[in-house]
Amino acid sequence: MEQTGSRKRKAPAIEGAAEGASSSRGSAAAAGEGPPLPPKKQRRPAAQRSLVPCLLGRAVGARGREESLGFEGRLRGYAVQKLPELLQERPLALGTLNKVFASQWLSTRQVVCGTKCNTLFVVDVQYGHITRIPLLQDQGPEPAQAQPGCGIHAIELNPSKTLLATGGENPNSLAVYQLPTLDPVCLGDRQGHKDWIFAIAWLTDTLAVSGSRDGTVAFWRLDPHVVRGSTAWQSDAGLPVYTHIRPRVVDSIPRSSTNPGNRKVRALAFSSKNQELGAVSLDGYFHLWKVCSTLSRLLSVKLLYCRENVCLTYCDDLSLYAVGSQAHVSFLDLRQGHQNIRPMCSREGGTGVRSLSFHQHIITAGTGHGSLLFYDVRAQKFLEERASSNLDSFPEPSGRKLRLTCGRGWLNHDNQWVNYLGGMNEFPNALYTHCYNWPEMKLFVAGGPLPAGLHGNYAGLWS
C-alpha cells in the first residue's frame, strides 16, 4: 500500500513534466522551428495502473467494501484476522454430562448449552459454576415417535436477545424461554414435528423456524402479548405453567431421486438482508425459502459434497452461505451462481466439519478431530501459523495452517470405551459447537467424542 501511495504522489509530477514538454514543443513549432506535433495521448491515472487495487477488487466480496468500511472498519477486520493466533485455552469441567451439541452466550460470563443427555444448563465461564434449567414438558402423553436420549441439538436467541428457543423434554417440541430470567414462555408441542428438532432460526423477535429429522420445517408465530406478559408461575403440583402452541405452517422439503429416505433437515441459516431462509438436508441438498408472512420455497440445489452435511452458516457482509460436510466447506453465492467459489478442504482425517461460524470474512470451523481451523474467504486460504527464527525477527507466515487443538475433556471409561478404543486413554473430541463473544475477544468451544457409543464431554474458553 505504501508503494501505491508513492506512485500517487509522483504521478502528478510526471504528468506535469510531460505537459510542459508538449507545451514547449508547440511553441517552438509556432516559431517556425519545425512541423507541428500530433497531440500527446493522455495517460491513465496512476491509481488505475496499480496492480494492488486491482487485486483487492478481485477478492471475494471486496468490491466497494474498502471505501465503505473506513479506518475503524478496516481496523476491526485486521483484529478479526489476527485474533485466532493469540487465543489460549482454559478448560471447563462439565462433570459427567454427555456431548455438548449447542451453545450461545447469554452475557459476558454466562453461556447456555444443550447436551446429548437432554440437559439444558448455564455455565459461568469465569468460575465454572453450572446451573441446570428445567425442560418444558408436552401437555399430552409423549408420542410414540419421540425417542428420549437424542438430546438438545439447537439453541438460538432472537434478535433483541429477549427470548431463547431450544428443544423441550420431548426432542420433537420447540421450547421458548424468557431472557434473562429463563422463565418458560411457551412450548410448540401441537401438530408440529414428528421427529427430533435439529435446527432453529429466528426471523424476527416473534417469528421462528425449526427444522426436523422428519424432513419438515415449521413456521412458528409467538403472540407478542403472551411474550410481553410472560411471568413464571406454577401449578398446584409445583410444575411451571406455560402456553402450548402450534406452528402456522409446516412445509416438507422435496424428496430427492437419489436418496429419498434421508431428507432430514440438519441445519438452518437466515439472511435478514435478503429475507431468505437456507437449509441443508442429509440427502445432500441445499434448500432456500423466501420469508414473507409465511414461507415460500424458491429452489433446491444439489451440493458438490454430499456426505454428512451437518452445519450451515450465513455471512451478511459477503452474501454467502457456507455448508460443512465430511471433508469440505462449500460456499454458495446465490447472486453469482450457486457454487462458484472454491470450496475449503478441511483434510482432518475424514472426521468432518461439525460446527461453523462467520464473522466478517473469516470463517471458523470446528472439526470432528478436536481442532479449530480459520479460513479467509476473501483471500480463499487458511490463516497460517507465524514463526520467527530468533527473538529479534518479526514473525512470518510459516506455510502451515493455523490449527488450535482442544484439550482432552472427560471420557467415561465404561464397556463401550473398552470395546471401541481398547482402553486407549486419549481420544479427540468432536467440536459440535462454538460461539464468539467478540466485544471481549472470547471464544467458547464444546463437544465430545465423535463415536455415538462413547460417553464424554469437552468445553473450553479460548481468550
Side-chain angles (χ1 to χ4, degrees):
M1 294 304 292
E2 291 178 359
Q3 292 178 358
T4 306
S6 64
R7 288 175 184 169
K8 288 182 179 179
R9 289 193 294 271
K10 291 180 181 178
I14 295 172
E15 290 172 1
E19 290 171 3
S22 176
S23 174
S24 62
R25 289 173 185 171
S27 57
E33 297 179 2
L37 298 176
K40 192 171 183 66
K41 186 177 180 180
Q42 294 293 324
R43 294 189 179 187
R44 292 183 179 181
Q48 294 183 19
R49 291 186 284 112
S50 173
L51 181 63
V52 176
C54 177
L55 293 178
L56 287 175
R58 290 179 59 188
V60 175
R63 185 172 298 175
R65 279 185 53 79
E66 293 298 322
E67 293 80 4
S68 63
L69 283 176
F71 175 76
E72 291 186 2
R74 291 195 295 272
L75 186 62
R76 286 195 298 270
Y78 180 81
V80 167
Q81 190 164 352
K82 295 300 178 184
L83 173 67
E85 63 188 86
L86 304 177
L87 293 173
Q88 298 291 326
E89 179 190 30
R90 181 165 65 86
L92 298 170
L94 300 183
T96 60
L97 294 173
N98 189 23
K99 297 180 185 176
V100 181
F101 283 153
S103 64
Q104 291 289 338
W105 286 90
L106 294 180
S107 67
T108 57
R109 284 176 43 182
Q110 294 181 316
V111 179
V112 59
C113 302
T115 72
K116 182 180 180 179
C117 55
N118 229 34
T119 301
L120 184 68
F121 68 93
V122 175
V123 57
D124 185 317
V125 296
Q126 182 172 345
Y127 297 107
H129 298 158
I130 292 177
T131 304
R132 300 199 180 200
I133 309 302
L135 297 180
L136 307 190
Q137 300 178 8
D138 287 0
Q139 191 173 37
E142 187 172 320
Q145 296 92 337
Q147 302 176 33
C150 88
I152 297 171
H153 285 268
I155 297 175
E156 293 295 333
L157 277 59
N158 70 346
S160 66
K161 305 292 191 295
T162 55
L163 296 174
L164 177 149
T166 184
E169 185 174 274
N170 173 7
N172 304 358
S173 301
L174 180 78
V176 179
Y177 296 82
Q178 190 91 39
L179 292 176
T181 59
L182 284 169
D183 292 330
V185 175
C186 60
L187 182 68
D189 58 348
R190 296 181 177 181
Q191 301 176 9
H193 296 298
K194 296 178 174 60
D195 210 332
W196 310 342
I197 291 176
F198 268 155
I200 299 168
W202 285 95
L203 311 181
T204 68
D205 273 343
T206 56
L207 297 177
V209 174
S210 55
S212 168
R213 220 171 68 139
D214 63 6
T216 65
V217 291
F219 184 84
W220 307 85
R221 184 186 298 273
L222 279 65
D223 186 345
H225 300 289
V226 172
V227 172
R228 284 195 296 266
S230 176
T231 56
W233 58 286
Q234 296 180 338
S235 65
D236 295 337
L239 299 175
V241 176
Y242 34 84
T243 305
H244 296 263
I245 62 173
R246 67 188 64 186
R248 294 297 180 96
V249 176
V250 177
D251 191 14
S252 298
I253 65 171
R255 293 180 180 272
S256 68
S257 58
T258 56
N259 196 2
N262 197 22
R263 57 183 183 134
K264 304 168 184 176
V265 178
R266 194 58 183 83
L268 298 171
F270 176 60
S271 165
S272 58
K273 181 170 65 175
N274 300 322
Q275 291 295 295
E276 292 173 348
L277 178 75
V280 289
S281 51
L282 288 183
D283 57 359
Y285 276 82
F286 171 84
H287 312 273
L288 190 69
W289 287 266
K290 189 67 178 178
V291 177
C292 299
S293 56
T294 183
L295 297 177
S296 176
R297 189 164 63 250
L298 297 175
L299 56 85
S300 294
V301 180
K302 181 70 173 178
L303 296 167
L304 291 176
Y305 301 97
C306 305
R307 301 187 64 181
E308 299 182 32
N309 297 303
V310 296
C311 49
L312 173 70
T313 187
Y314 181 78
C315 178
D316 268 317
D317 291 342
L318 304 179
S319 297
L320 277 180
Y321 288 94
V323 183
S325 61
Q326 188 180 56
H328 295 83
V329 175
S330 303
F331 300 102
L332 293 91
D333 185 348
L334 302 180
R335 305 163 305 164
Q336 306 292 334
H338 298 322
Q339 300 176 64
N340 62 333
I341 300 175
R342 185 177 61 194
M344 165 192 134
C345 183
S346 67
R347 297 190 184 278
E348 292 293 298
T351 55
V353 178
R354 300 294 157 175
S355 57
L356 281 178
S357 69
F358 250 125
H359 189 76
Q360 295 187 11
H361 56 285
I362 302 296
I363 191 166
T364 303
T367 73
H369 206 67
S371 60
L372 291 164
L373 303 175
F374 306 89
Y375 190 77
D376 187 333
V377 178
R378 286 174 57 179
Q380 297 193 48
K381 66 177 184 179
F382 288 96
L383 300 189
E384 296 180 356
E385 294 179 358
R386 293 183 175 269
S388 57
S389 56
N390 56 65
L391 295 177
D392 297 327
S393 64
F394 188 78
E396 297 290 339
S398 64
R400 299 184 301 271
K401 70 175 67 171
L402 176 63
R403 178 185 285 104
L404 301 183
T405 303
C406 295
R408 295 172 56 182
W410 172 80
L411 182 63
N412 188 13
H413 294 173
D414 55 6
N415 291 334
Q416 290 281 357
W417 166 70
V418 173
N419 296 333
Y420 192 90
L421 298 178
M424 184 170 64
N425 286 326
E426 294 191 20
F427 191 80
N429 290 290
L431 305 183
Y432 294 111
T433 179
H434 68 265
C435 52
Y436 280 94
N437 175 359
W438 279 107
E440 296 199 353
M441 300 296 186
K442 295 177 181 178
L443 172 63
F444 178 82
V445 186
L450 186 61
L454 295 183
H455 184 117
N457 67 66
Y458 163 81
L461 179 68
W462 291 78
S463 60

